[in-house]
């Protein structure tokens, strides 16, 4: 998708298990988001991920998906507020350079990576979300650079890999991870990303959501 054609892209497909009010109410097309650009604050975040296919002691590693622990104790994706007059793509690359040591000269986020837009009328905020695929070796190198990023220890308190497996007790792994606190709609963005990048099927996501909510108090969850 080019910068010109992003205006024509429809709202992303939402799997049935995520067709809930908290997800659907805020999603808008990029074209519709433009009407708020002059009066609302703009923000942009990106999900950085790498495909992998190997087993671990705890479950199958299907992909490496990066999130980080924020200064406020919640999990979110790299990115942040866009400066007045700044293009969203330029802004998200700048924010990621500050937060995780992202080098846009090596693998820049572009409008080809645009995924979705959301609006929060209460906060007067428009959020643009991008998904960028890199190689596993690039991902590992980026993890190491995160420790020397300008905002590490200030805005960012740690970079993590999302555990994309469910352990034999049916709770540990991704179901347990989803019970953390996420900033804004980051949890929904994560699940939509897993679906749209074909990392997990709709049935698998639905099953994980069920286990996350219904097994969190099970006595054998550890």
């Amino acid at each position: 998708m080019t910068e010109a054609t992003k205006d024509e892209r429809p709202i992303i497909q939402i799997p049935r298990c995520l067709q809930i009010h908290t997800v659907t109410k805020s999603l808008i097309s990029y074209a519709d988001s433009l009407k708020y650009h002059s009066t609302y604050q703009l923000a942009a975040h990106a999900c950085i991920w790498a495909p992998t296919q190997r087993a671990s002691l705890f479950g199958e590693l299907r992909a490496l998906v990066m999130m980080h622990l924020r200064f406020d104790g919640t999990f979110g994706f790299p990115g942040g507020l866009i400066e007045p007059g700044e293009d969203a793509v330029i802004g998200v690359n700048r924010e990621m350079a500050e937060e995780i040591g992202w080098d846009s000269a090596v693998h820049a986020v572009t409008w080809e990576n645009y995924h979705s837009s959301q609006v929060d009328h209460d906060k007067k905020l428009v959020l643009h979300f991008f998904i960028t695929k890199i190689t596993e070796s690039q991902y590992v190198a980026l993890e190491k650079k995160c420790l020397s990023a300008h905002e590490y220890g200030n805005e960012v308190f740690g970079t993590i890999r999302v555990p994309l497996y469910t352990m034999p007790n049916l709770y540990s792994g991704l179901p347990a991870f989803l019970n953390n606190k996420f900033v804004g709609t980051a949890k929904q963005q994560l699940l939509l990303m897993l679906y749209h990048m074909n990392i997990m099927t709709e049935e698998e996501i639905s099953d994980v959501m069920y286990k996350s909510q219904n097994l969190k108090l099970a006595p054998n969850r550890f």
Side-chain angles (χ1 to χ4, degrees):
M1 181 181 65
T2 65
E3 185 172 359
T5 58
K6 70 181 182 298
D7 296 11
E8 304 169 3
R9 182 164 178 169
I11 297 175
I12 57 172
Q13 178 186 359
I14 305 174
R16 185 178 306 170
C17 62
L18 288 173
Q19 289 181 3
I20 55 179
H21 186 59
T22 54
V23 176
T24 59
K25 72 173 182 178
S26 63
L27 284 169
I28 57 175
S29 67
Y30 183 85
D32 286 338
S33 77
L34 294 176
K35 68 180 73 171
Y36 304 108
H37 276 202
S38 61
T39 55
Y40 282 22
Q41 176 69 64
L42 304 182
H45 295 78
C47 174
I48 308 302
W49 77 284
T52 188
Q53 193 71 42
R54 51 192 172 87
S56 75
L57 293 175
F58 309 107
E60 179 188 5
L61 299 177
R62 303 182 182 189
L64 307 178
V65 178
M66 181 176 290
M67 297 188 78
H68 59 217
L69 178 63
R70 292 161 35 95
F71 62 93
D72 58 2
T74 63
F75 286 103
F77 291 102
L81 296 177
I82 304 302
E83 297 176 355
E86 186 177 39
D87 179 82
V89 160
I90 294 175
V92 74
N93 281 289
R94 172 185 54 76
E95 284 285 336
M96 290 167 59
E98 297 170 1
E99 294 181 351
I100 61 173
W102 180 254
D103 186 353
S104 58
V106 177
H107 30 237
V109 175
T110 72
W111 283 112
E112 292 288 337
N113 307 121
Y114 171 78
H115 177 259
S116 57
S117 296
Q118 295 172 287
V119 60
D120 186 327
H121 294 293
D122 293 333
K123 297 180 180 179
K124 295 188 179 301
L125 176 70
V126 173
L127 171 66
H128 300 305
F129 188 59
F130 299 81
I131 299 175
T132 299
K133 177 181 175 182
I134 59 178
T135 67
E136 185 171 356
S137 61
Q138 289 173 330
Y139 186 101
V140 173
L142 180 60
E143 283 182 315
K144 296 176 181 178
K145 289 185 65 177
C146 289
L147 295 173
S148 58
H150 178 71
E151 290 296 340
Y152 189 86
N154 185 23
E155 290 187 11
V156 179
F157 275 42
T159 300
I160 59 99
R161 298 183 182 188
V162 179
L164 298 181
Y165 47 76
T166 300
M167 293 176 63
N169 64 13
L170 304 182
Y171 179 77
S172 299
L174 186 55
F177 180 76
L178 294 179
N179 277 311
N180 284 294
K181 295 294 184 180
F182 294 82
V183 63
T185 57
K187 180 162 75 171
Q188 290 86 354
Q189 290 172 332
L190 170 63
L191 294 173
L192 287 168
M193 172 269 171
L194 295 175
Y195 174 72
H196 286 122
M197 296 298 105
N198 297 314
I199 298 171
M200 296 181 69
T201 67
E202 180 177 349
E203 291 73 20
E204 289 172 323
I205 293 172
S206 179
D207 183 59
V208 164
M209 292 174 63
Y210 174 83
K211 291 172 179 173
S212 176
Q213 293 303 308
N214 291 280
L215 299 181
K216 57 186 174 183
L217 299 179
N220 66 340
R221 67 183 187 275
F222 297 112

